[in-house]
Amino acid sequence: QMKKCQIIQCAEPKDVAHTTRDPAKGPFYYEDKVTYEIESGYKVDVPGEGKINGTFDCHCGADGGWNGTCALDIKAAPIDCGAAPSVDHATVAGETLFGGKLTAVADTGFTLDGTAVGQSSFSFFCQADGRFSPRQEFQPVVCGLCAQFKNVAAIGFVPAGEPLSLLSQSGLKVKQQKVMRRAKRLYNTVYNDQVDYLCNEGFRAVSGASMLDFPVVLVPIEAPVNFQMRCSHSGDLKVIGQMMANDTQCVPVTCDVKEPEADAKRIPVLHEGFARLAYKEIQNFVCLAGHSTDGTPTG
């Protein structure tokens, strides 16, 4: 009896992780085709052929084996979205492969909503299309409108990142003219913004005392003519400078008054018991009986 020629049958093609096969099951015969679809977010690197994203095919051969990509030593690997993107005012770290999570942690003084208690981090991911998911933006912490103090001649504003030009005794007049163009204006401030307060003539910047303490407290002419405040990460404006505290204010310069000669007496001013005057206060003296300032009865 003559034998019949039969079509060659191929064994089941191998499974490749993170792919699906169509058709999923045999039987498979000579010249049958099987299509592998790569799972979203993964790729197959084929030696000598480059990357394959999406699908690849295999064919049942005349020798009963499979020809094509599936016959090679291949495996699916997650897509790499590339170098982690930068986020302004933050540090980014994490995994850049598909499904990996990256976290952006805000620099000091920045949050997502600009409040001191706001969220200071967020996460994003490498997506199946090879792109990173959308990122949020950090905002500087807001301190709000700067404070208004008494006895201030002018208020200067220095945005974050710019140097603060301090006032000096020798440059007072020039600086006053420059700053006075912005006199009395209040500024909205955010993290690291600085505000410069210039005291009125005859006043100096002093910490740790209230106006009721003067002229008991000595305020020399050499004391600073101004003080600065900076918006902090806590959302508060704080006085800066080694010799300054947050209760700094502009107070009058004080002058020590010498005791009169024996033929005169001092008429007390408001601060009885203290031989010291505040700026623009006047100390009167009266000659004793039988004395005058020019030696005449009507003097």
Side-chain angles (χ1 to χ4, degrees), residues 50-83:
K51 295 180 180 179
I52 296 178
N53 291 291
T55 63
F56 58 89
D57 298 328
C58 274
H59 298 84
C60 178
D63 60 355
W66 289 94
N67 300 319
T69 302
C70 69
L72 303 175
D73 184 17
I74 60 172
K75 62 180 180 179
I79 291 172
D80 192 337
C81 286

Side-chain angles (χ1 to χ4, degrees), residues 205-226:
V206 172
S207 302
S210 70
M211 292 297 291
L212 297 178
D213 294 326
F214 300 95
V216 178
V217 174
L218 175 63
V219 181
I221 193 69
E222 296 80 15
V225 298
N226 70 322

Side-chain angles (χ1 to χ4, degrees), residues 21-38:
R21 198 173 63 202
D22 184 29
K25 292 184 178 181
F28 299 101
Y29 298 97
Y30 173 62
E31 291 189 340
D32 280 351
K33 181 179 76 171
V34 174
T35 299
Y36 290 78
E37 183 174 0
I38 304 171

